[in-house]
Amino acid sequence: MRTNLNVALQAGALLAFAALRFTAPGWFLIILIMTLVGPALLTVPTVLSLTVLRRRVLGPAVTAPFVACAGFLLAGGLLMPDFGDTADSVRAPLTVLLESAGLPAGPTEPLYVLGSLALAGWSVSLVWLGVALALDARRTHRVPGPPHPAWVRPVS
């Protein structure tokens, strides 16, 4: 994957997540906005995509966790219900979008389970991304040459 496409993917996923969360506002959104850890943690894949921008192309070992982070973030933003002050105010962005299209929305309990799994997947893919970038940096920063120059004898 080209690095500029990766930056666009990560920034687009982050903006789409924010837009989806604002369609069904509740206490999760308020907590996310009021803490510094939430927004900072959500921007980690976008910031990491900017750090690898100097490369032209990312290998598959680094592309896969970036794509997983974007996909799981979008799924979590779409499926995770948010709750308000009453029991009737539990709504997921997916149900809000379905209701605005005139389609019936189902129960929110399965969406809560799927949204929780998506956010857990995002957390795992974030760790996977850190490991993949560390291994890739280790692989690309090796100095070419013999492994032990002291063992090399001059040819006469």
Side-chain angles (χ1 to χ4, degrees), residues 112-125:
Y112 182 77
V113 171
L114 291 173
S116 297
L117 288 174
L119 293 178
W122 180 80
S123 301
V124 169
S125 63

Side-chain angles (χ1 to χ4, degrees), residues 3-119:
T3 54
N4 55 359
L5 178 64
N6 184 35
V7 171
L9 176 69
Q10 298 306 317
L14 184 61
L15 291 174
F17 175 81
L20 286 169
R21 293 317 309 166
F22 278 107
T23 61
W27 284 109
F28 281 148
L29 179 65
I30 292 171
I31 291 167
L32 182 69
I33 292 172
M34 295 308 239
T35 64
L36 293 176
V37 175
L41 195 59
L42 290 173
T43 59
V44 168
T46 306
V47 170
L48 289 176
S49 70
L50 290 171
T51 62
V52 296
L53 190 59
R54 61 183 156 77
R55 303 181 199 175
R56 296 282 183 220
V57 177
L58 295 175
V62 178
T63 300
F66 269 123
V67 172
C69 279
F72 281 127
L73 186 63
L74 283 174
L78 186 64
L79 299 173
M80 191 68 173
D82 207 343
F83 60 95
D85 291 331
T86 63
D88 295 337
S89 63
V90 177
R91 300 176 68 185
L94 179 63
T95 60
V96 172
L97 294 174
L98 287 175
E99 288 171 355
S100 67
L103 299 171
T108 58
E109 290 84 15
L111 294 179
Y112 182 77
V113 171
L114 291 173
S116 297
L117 288 174
L119 293 178

